[in-house]
Every structure is written in structure tokens, then in C-alpha cells.
Amino acid sequence: MIEIDARKLECPKPVLLVKEEADKGTAQIRACVDNEVAAGNVTRFFESRGYSPSRTPGTR
């Protein structure tokens, strides 16, 4: 599993970091973000690529 720390980054940077890993064929990606806009955008990106996104309770 690859973990991407995209906290303190504004969109589109979190999505671009996730896309870079997805384009490599990484099967499991964990993206840490700290704002709702990034969380929503990353979630939509994961869904568009066939990943099954989930949010960890107590986090954004």
C-alpha cells in the first residue's frame, strides 16, 4: 500500500498525487487530506478509476 500525505495541499495537488500512483498501477492507495474539498475530489477520482474509497472515522 502506498500512503500519500496530501495534508496542507490545496486542489488539484492531492488528486494529481493520487493520479500519479494510480497511473503506475498501484492497487492500494491511502491518501491523507485535511479539508473537505480535497476529500471529495480524491474520493471522486478513486471512484472514477474503479477503486473502493472509504474514509477513516474521525478524519477528513
Side-chain angles (χ1 to χ4, degrees):
M1 175 187 291
I2 296 294
E3 184 168 317
I4 298 169
D5 185 355
R7 292 174 286 196
K8 298 184 182 179
L9 298 178
E10 294 184 23
C11 281
K13 188 65 174 175
V15 175
L16 295 175
L17 293 172
V18 170
K19 181 184 183 304
E20 184 177 314
E21 286 302 322
D23 287 347
K24 292 179 187 176
T26 304
Q28 293 183 333
I29 304 169
R30 179 179 180 177
C32 299
V33 297
D34 61 359
N35 66 77
E36 287 300 317
V37 172
N41 289 339
V42 168
T43 298
R44 283 188 294 280
F45 176 81
F46 278 138
E47 291 170 341
S48 76
R49 289 294 183 97
Y51 289 86
S52 298
S54 64
R55 291 188 183 188
T56 304
T59 63
R60 293 179 154 198

